[in-house]
Amino acid sequence: TRAQLLQLAQTVTIPAAPTRLTARPASVGSRKVNVTWRAAAAGGRPDTYQVRVDGHQAATVKASGSTGAWSPQLTPGTHTIAVAAHNTAGLSAPAETTVTVVVRPGPPTNLQVATAGLRLTAAWAPPAQDAGKLTGYRVRLDGRAPITLAATATSYTAKGLATGPHTLQVAA
């Protein structure tokens, strides 16, 4: 009947999970992450997308065409991003991916420098901010080429220095 055809034409089905979900830092050392996805070809047409980060609701993004995007600021570390399509019929299964945010480390902390005769010793503590990805330290004395030390290093000693003032830089 005409009524049955109209009812059939208005039937809405749950959308399928989004496809091609990616999450990438916007640039090296950035906390901004670009998350993109495509609407699935199967299932009903989504009205919105529910975005979760590490299991917590983070955003609702209005559906626009066949692609979606969201760009949050995330804390350093590895995060799970899940995106599910939603319409009046319900919520799709989520598509999931992970992204690791690595920021530049802060400066070493508690830098202490001592001299004894023609010897200089510097000691420090790791940076307060390094997201667990510290790869090493660079020590530069008096503008010379930097010396690279392991991430586990917490001190540096220079011997046979000339008398007078010296400039020391320690960077994580």
Side-chain angles (χ1 to χ4, degrees), residues 39-64:
R45 181 179 169 175
D47 296 323
T48 60
Y49 293 94
Q50 305 277 322
V51 183
R52 297 178 76 80
V53 176
D54 299 329
H56 301 359
Q57 180 67 28
T60 299
V61 178
K62 185 176 179 178
S64 175

Side-chain angles (χ1 to χ4, degrees), residues 18-46:
T19 62
R20 298 184 187 177
L21 175 63
T22 63
R24 294 186 179 101
S27 61
V28 174
S30 174
R31 291 182 50 215
K32 182 178 180 182
V33 174
N34 294 327
V35 181
T36 60
W37 62 87
R38 293 187 64 83
R45 181 179 169 175

Side-chain angles (χ1 to χ4, degrees), residues 136-155:
Y137 295 94
R138 287 210 173 135
V139 178
R140 183 183 299 261
L141 181 61
D142 295 332
R144 296 182 200 143
I147 297 168
T148 301
L149 302 175
T152 55
T154 57
S155 66

Side-chain angles (χ1 to χ4, degrees), residues 26-163:
S27 61
V28 174
S30 174
R31 291 182 50 215
K32 182 178 180 182
V33 174
N34 294 327
V35 181
T36 60
W37 62 87
R38 293 187 64 83
R45 181 179 169 175
D47 296 323
T48 60
Y49 293 94
Q50 305 277 322
V51 183
R52 297 178 76 80
V53 176
D54 299 329
H56 301 359
Q57 180 67 28
T60 299
V61 178
K62 185 176 179 178
S64 175
S66 63
T67 61
W70 181 60
S71 296
Q73 296 279 334
L74 297 178
T75 58
T78 300
H79 301 279
T80 300
I81 310 286
V83 179
H86 181 264
N87 65 16
T88 56
L91 190 64
S92 75
E96 285 190 7
T97 191
T98 60
V99 62
T100 300
V101 176
V102 178
V103 297
R104 295 182 192 275
T109 57
N110 199 26
L111 179 63
Q112 309 266 326
V113 179
T115 58
L118 302 178
R119 185 164 110 174
L120 176 144
T121 301
W124 59 85
Q129 175 184 325
D130 79 349
K133 302 292 182 188
L134 183 65
T135 58
Y137 295 94
R138 287 210 173 135
V139 178
R140 183 183 299 261
L141 181 61
D142 295 332
R144 296 182 200 143
I147 297 168
T148 301
L149 302 175
T152 55
T154 57
S155 66
Y156 168 77
T157 301
K159 299 176 185 173
L161 297 176
T163 57

